[in-house]
Amino acid sequence: MHFKRLLITTALIAIGAGNTWAGGIKSLEDFVKTVKTGKADFTQVVTSPAKDGQAPRVKTSSGQFEFARPNRFKFVYVKPFAQTIVADGQTLWLYDVDLNQVTARQQSQVLGSTPAALIASAADLKALQADFTLTDAPDKDGLQWVLATPKAKDGQLQSVRVGFKAGGTEVATLEVLEILDSFGQRSVLSFAGFQVNPALPTKGFEFKPPPGADVLKQ
């Protein structure tokens, strides 16, 4: 269940990411205002802390991601296990294909005051800074980085680092998202083929539980 919660947190965070070479913080603000829809492939590597002298556990997955501001997004995990996370504006759905199980949560309650929700839905930088400490992190691996640290100390999220690739005169694209939670678990998402403002019909964010699926409402 903890891994599933991490997937949801990851999904919420990724919606709000973006940048240009004008500087991380200024670029994040520009991206939120400019990029209304996005689409990309992703690979996610989750590393859990080592325990009892054992090596850290590593899980790798991949799939497709898309979003439409302010409140719709979809993560489709293809490998190694099929899972789908969909936010349709009202409900956040998590569908585990192998278990044939659907978890439904009221989207407003799930988003709450998490860093992910605030980055995804905030209209401007001032709203973000009310709940995050935002700083420009040093350039690394040919990317610019922004560090977001939640001001609330009682959440599951410790920090988020977002890496961007220059887009010349265009808005830069999201390349890497690094998430560190309060349990010491690190999740790194690498995005490929990021599309800025593609046409994404609203019906693409609709979800209906498959026939026979066990539906859990939380």
Side-chain angles (χ1 to χ4, degrees), residues 18-31 125 135-137 139 144-146 164 172:
N19 179 49
T20 69
W21 288 110
I25 296 177
K26 176 61 167 63
S27 300
L28 175 61
E29 179 184 25
D30 292 343
F31 187 92
L125 191 66
T135 57
D136 292 321
D139 292 1
Q144 270 196 334
W145 296 85
V146 176
F164 312 92

Side-chain angles (χ1 to χ4, degrees), residues 68-149:
R69 296 185 192 278
N71 55 13
R72 292 180 174 84
F73 65 86
K74 179 167 61 178
F75 272 79
V76 179
Y77 286 79
V78 178
K79 296 179 180 180
F81 307 108
Q83 285 189 331
T84 300
I85 300 172
V86 179
D88 61 13
Q90 300 294 326
T91 303
L92 182 69
W93 305 90
L94 172 61
Y95 175 42
D96 189 313
V97 177
D98 288 345
L99 297 178
N100 197 26
Q101 184 180 85
V102 176
T103 301
R105 303 180 183 181
Q106 188 173 342
Q107 191 168 321
S108 59
Q109 294 180 353
V110 176
L111 291 177
S113 60
T114 64
L118 293 169
I119 294 175
S121 60
D124 52 39
L125 191 66
K126 184 177 180 180
L128 293 177
Q129 290 175 324
D131 290 271
F132 300 104
T133 299
L134 301 174
T135 57
D136 292 321
D139 292 1
K140 182 181 178 182
D141 300 327
L143 303 177
Q144 270 196 334
W145 296 85
V146 176
L147 175 65
T149 305

Side-chain angles (χ1 to χ4, degrees), residues 186-205:
R186 184 180 300 275
S187 178
V188 179
L189 283 91
S190 300
F191 296 89
F194 189 91
Q195 300 178 34
V196 175
N197 290 328
L200 298 177
T202 301
K203 65 180 181 181
F205 297 97

